[in-house]
Amino acid sequence: TQDAKELGFLPHDFDTSELKPILTKVLTGGVLESGSDLRKRKRKLQEISNELNEIFFRYPFQVPPFFALVTRGLGLLEGRLC
């Protein structure tokens, strides 16, 4: 969560004491639980994505301008954005 603050994803004055264990649980439980089964891994990644979406809307996350530019550039390279 400190990295998220330093990179501009969270406000510098935001108290992350409640958020840190939630993110730790979601991100560490993730794909390792699914083992090598690709179907289970895909399902688990979707679950993680859904959980992160809920977290991002519940807490004051923001997308820093540099990250939006990098993401857009990668999308253009992949041919997915116009």
Side-chain angles (χ1 to χ4, degrees):
T1 54
Q2 186 60 34
D3 290 340
K5 284 182 173 184
E6 290 176 12
L7 291 170
F9 289 98
L10 286 169
H12 287 288
D13 60 347
F14 179 70
D15 179 15
T16 59
S17 57
E18 178 185 339
L19 179 60
K20 189 172 183 175
I22 295 170
L23 282 177
T24 300
K25 180 182 176 205
V26 170
L27 296 174
T28 57
V31 180
L32 296 177
E33 293 177 357
S34 304
S36 61
D37 184 330
L38 292 179
R39 278 180 253 172
K40 286 182 183 178
R41 288 175 70 104
K42 185 176 180 179
R43 228 181 348 248
K44 189 63 179 175
L45 283 171
Q46 185 61 51
E47 289 173 20
I48 293 169
S49 177
N50 292 341
E51 289 180 57
L52 287 175
N53 280 335
E54 289 178 26
I55 292 168
F56 292 161
F57 284 107
R58 192 177 329 148
Y59 294 94
F61 279 91
Q62 54 196 9
V63 178
F66 75 88
F67 188 78
L69 289 173
V70 169
T71 304
R72 180 161 173 81
L74 290 173
L76 288 169
L77 288 173
E78 288 290 321
R80 296 174 191 239
L81 297 175
C82 296

